[in-house]
Amino acid sequence: MGQPKLALAILALTTITGVLAQPTWCGKNYQSTQPITIPGGNFPLPITSTSPLLSLRCSQSIRPYLASDIPTPGGIIISTQLGYTQTVGAEPISLSGVGEGLWVTVSDVEGGKVLTEGYVPLNSTKFEIPFDLSALEPRLTPYNISCAATYPSSSSSPQAFTTTSTLTYLPDNPSGTVTKIDQRTGALLVKPMNAASSPSAEWESVFPIGFYTLWDGFLNGNLSALDGIKDAGYTVVHPVPPYDNVTAFEMVLDKMEELGLWLMYDMRWTYTNLTNVTTQVSTYSNRTNLLLWYTADEPDGWGDPLNATTLAYEAIREVDPYHPVALVLNCQDYYFWDYAAGADILMQDTYMIGINATWSNTWNTPCTPDYGDCGCDNCVGEYEDISNRMDEFAYRLNYLGWELDKSVWTVPQAFGNDEYWTRTPTGPEFLVQSILAINHGARGVIPWDYPTTSPINSSASLLSYALPTLKNFMLNPASTFENYNISRVDVGVWRLGEQSLVLGTNLNYEEVGVGFWEVGVWGEGVEVFGSGVEVGDGVFEFGSVGSGAWIFG
């Protein structure tokens, strides 16, 4: 994981007419013998408008819907964002209209049938309109839907806007599990692994936390390691391939099922071989603990073919439309559009601890936007590298019109003393990385890598045992969210009815106090977990890189 290791750098070389091409990372040359060349692949700079624009988006609330979901109603979420940035599909709107909302009609394009319609306020996000699933037949091919909106105008004709989306409504999976995505929150929804013997079991949200876990030298032939993983409170195991002993690998999967651990199946080394992809998916898609597939590991860094992730995604969906697909992107800005197209879940791995952000000791070269590799692409070596990367992902998904269809997870740094990284994070530093990303939208925490240090394991376990409480707020569509940054203390506040969840982390290596009033809570909070934080007289006293969570109300 991470940037090219000295031994692996050779693998990044490609042969062109018998001559080794220059290796790059994120499109950049990084060796002292290489010239500086502009890598390209940058995300489009925003184009602004002098008049307001409407970005109309629509998607199903939960993907996929299943035949057995009847009689529960389905839902279509609509966003009607106003702004001055020319995002994909944005259209001019005259706000001199006579109403404060739009009338939206959702139709099945193929059948011409109206599925639902309703009033949606202007500048709303993920506003839900119910619809009756029985209006459609479950099938393996997604439906194309049209969302047409009209805005009352003071002139004779109302303004009209249209966008399209797809709707996945599947027959029940004849074997194996189903993992849904609640696209209102980014949450994964699952049934218990024994649901086959209990068909009435309810769907429940899961906030995935668990490490990329080494196969060679750790999991292979070491089933007892899984007991320690379960005891630490982790919910997911991501074995790192290649799984060179199929019998041993299946024994590990059996043990994971026994313990109730979800599987994140990794096909990084073979995902560009679509025949191999199909074979792996056919082999493991009926596992009752399969949570999701993982295809590309830093394809932007390695410079994989730009369509590789999409081709793999389509090959997986052809065999298994019942589980989402994830990948991790490493570069700050290199062909995001192309690589991100091939996944439901995007992960970012911004490893900023222990680096020199401007000079590569590995290659003895500088690091700039056009050259060099310092272990964290275009970073400054501060925790804000993580929140900036999360915010950039969110902006780009919104720009592309994908914000309703894709969610983002984080890969905290749980290693060090290796190449670019002069030290391993402490336990509290691990929590800062994780909580900062969660406050900026991460809905899964999959650190690299395991086994890790005892302090990191203890801190990760602390967060794991808190997540069942935290997710009741974070993954509830009825919650509202606000993010505060007060003297480099990052605080997320989820409000649900009369209660508020406060999740805070101190990015400073010194104590900082944050008043309750500064984040809009009052009274006495109940601590969910704390690491280096004290509370008194209406103030959170965050110690050096301290973190904590409280429920108020």
Side-chain angles (χ1 to χ4, degrees):
M1 191 74 165
Q3 291 64 36
K5 299 181 182 296
L6 296 175
L8 291 178
I10 302 302
L11 297 176
L13 301 177
T14 55
T15 303
I16 302 176
T17 63
V19 179
L20 285 177
Q22 298 283 13
T24 62
W25 191 259
C26 297
K28 303 175 187 179
N29 290 332
Y30 58 82
Q31 295 188 17
S32 59
T33 56
Q34 296 174 289
I36 297 174
T37 58
I38 298 175
N42 299 123
F43 200 79
L45 292 173
I47 299 173
T48 57
S49 168
T50 56
S51 56
L53 302 170
L54 173 72
S55 295
L56 177 66
R57 320 286 198 206
C58 71
S59 185
Q60 64 194 93
S61 302
I62 295 173
R63 189 183 300 272
Y65 286 118
L66 301 173
S68 57
D69 288 333
I70 292 178
T72 304
I76 302 293
I77 46 175
I78 311 287
S79 289
T80 56
Q81 296 179 22
L82 297 174
Y84 291 86
T85 299
Q86 186 66 61
T87 59
V88 173
E91 296 183 65
I93 182 172
S94 171
L95 296 178
S96 59
V98 296
E100 296 182 353
L102 303 97
W103 186 259
V104 178
T105 301
V106 182
S107 305
D108 165 28
V109 173
E110 180 183 338
K113 181 185 299 183
V114 173
L115 300 179
T116 188
E117 54 188 347
Y119 176 85
V120 180
L122 265 177
N123 210 25
S124 60
T125 302
K126 300 182 180 180
F127 186 93
E128 188 171 23
I129 305 176
F131 81 99
D132 187 353
L133 282 169
S134 65
L136 299 171
E137 291 293 326
R139 68 185 196 185
L140 295 177
T141 305
Y143 287 90
N144 292 312
I145 60 173
S146 168
C147 299
T150 56
Y151 179 56
S153 175
S154 55
S155 61
S156 57
S157 300
Q159 299 172 68
F161 306 88
T162 304
T163 190
T164 59
S165 185
T166 59
L167 190 152
T168 306
Y169 179 35
L170 299 172
D172 290 337
N173 190 0
S175 62
T177 57
V178 178
T179 301
K180 298 185 177 188
I181 301 180
D182 186 336
Q183 298 186 156
R184 299 166 298 179
T185 64
L188 297 189
L189 302 176
V190 296
K191 284 196 172 185
M193 293 176 200
N194 63 354
S197 59
S198 179
S200 61
E202 297 292 324
W203 292 93
E204 57 187 38
S205 64
V206 58
F207 194 118
I209 182 168
F211 289 69
Y212 289 84
T213 305
L214 298 182
W215 172 251
D216 284 330
F218 186 65
L219 278 181
N220 189 0
N222 183 20
L223 294 180
S224 63
L226 294 168
D227 293 299
I229 289 170
K230 178 67 174 180
D231 290 344
Y234 307 136
T235 54
V236 175
V237 179
H238 182 140
V240 178
Y243 317 128
D244 50 0
N245 184 328
V246 174
T247 301
F249 182 61
E250 294 194 347
M251 290 175 65
V252 165
L253 298 190
D254 290 341
K255 179 70 171 180
M256 287 171 57
E257 287 183 2
E258 177 188 322
L259 294 173
L261 291 167
W262 293 104
L263 168 67
M264 190 168 178
Y265 185 92
D266 189 329
M267 56 185 77
R268 70 180 68 193
W269 299 121
T270 56
Y271 90 96
T272 57
N273 182 327
L274 301 185
T275 300
N276 249 328
V277 167
T278 298
T279 299
Q280 291 175 85
V281 174
S282 298
T283 301
Y284 295 107
S285 60
N286 62 351
R287 279 279 172 179
T288 61
N289 66 333
L290 174 65
L291 187 67
L292 74 165
W293 304 104
Y294 179 88
T295 55
D297 193 81
E298 303 175 333
D300 50 348
W302 294 106
D304 291 352
L306 296 180
N307 65 347
T309 62
T310 298
L311 292 176
Y313 181 85
E314 292 171 347
I316 292 170
R317 301 293 292 177
E318 187 71 25
V319 180
D320 176 21
Y322 294 98
H323 298 91
V325 177
L327 58 81
V328 69
L329 297 180
N330 179 262
C331 306
Q332 185 265 330
D333 189 10
Y334 190 65
Y335 289 105
F336 177 92
W337 188 323
D338 301 86
Y339 292 119
D344 304 295
I345 296 164
L346 302 176
M347 305 165 69
Q348 61 79 25
D349 57 357
T350 309
Y351 304 144
M352 40 63 59
I353 290 179
I355 66 165
N356 183 332
T358 59
W359 184 265
S360 176
N361 295 319
T362 301
W363 304 106
N364 200 32
T365 57
C367 289
T368 72
D370 296 327
Y371 183 79
D373 182 4
C374 284
C376 191
D377 190 45
N378 295 341
C379 293
V380 298
E382 301 287 348
Y383 289 111
E384 284 84 355
D385 290 325
I386 297 169
S387 51
N388 289 341
R389 192 70 56 91
M390 293 294 303
D391 293 346
E392 286 166 353
F393 274 33
Y395 165 78
R396 292 171 186 172
L397 293 178
N398 184 72
Y399 180 96
L400 295 168
W402 294 347
E403 73 275 18
L404 301 184
D405 302 315
K406 298 182 188 291
S407 56
V408 181
W409 293 7
T410 190
V411 183
Q413 179 182 343
F415 69 96
N417 301 313
D418 180 24
E419 295 184 286
Y420 311 98
W421 304 276
T422 59
R423 67 180 183 86
T424 301
T426 66
E429 288 174 329
F430 174 88
L431 285 176
V432 174
Q433 296 178 76
S434 302
I435 293 170
L436 182 60
I438 290 171
N439 282 349
H440 287 260
R443 292 301 172 259
V445 178
I446 312 293
W448 179 272
D449 57 352
Y450 201 86
T452 187
T453 66
S454 178
I456 287 178
N457 192 50
S458 295
S459 292
S461 180
L462 184 69
L463 179 60
S464 296
Y465 277 106
L467 277 171
T469 299
L470 302 182
K471 76 183 181 74
N472 291 333
F473 290 82
M474 296 174 180
L475 306 184
N476 190 321
S479 293
T480 61
F481 176 74
E482 293 174 280
N483 182 242
Y484 302 85
N485 189 297
I486 300 163
S487 302
R488 297 188 73 227
V489 176
D490 194 282
V491 181
V493 181
W494 287 260
R495 306 186 199 280
L496 182 61
E498 298 298 317
Q499 292 189 313
S500 296
L501 168 67
V502 176
L503 179 63
T505 190
N506 183 8
L507 282 57
N508 302 282
Y509 288 89
E510 60 185 15
E511 184 176 295
V512 179
V514 174
F516 290 5
W517 64 92
E518 294 183 272
V519 296
V521 296
W522 294 268
E524 185 174 345
V526 177
E527 184 178 275
V528 180
F529 81 92
S531 173
V533 186
E534 295 182 359
V535 178
D537 297 326
V539 177
F540 303 102
E541 295 290 353
F542 287 89
S544 170
V545 289
S547 302
W550 305 263
I551 294 175
F552 285 79

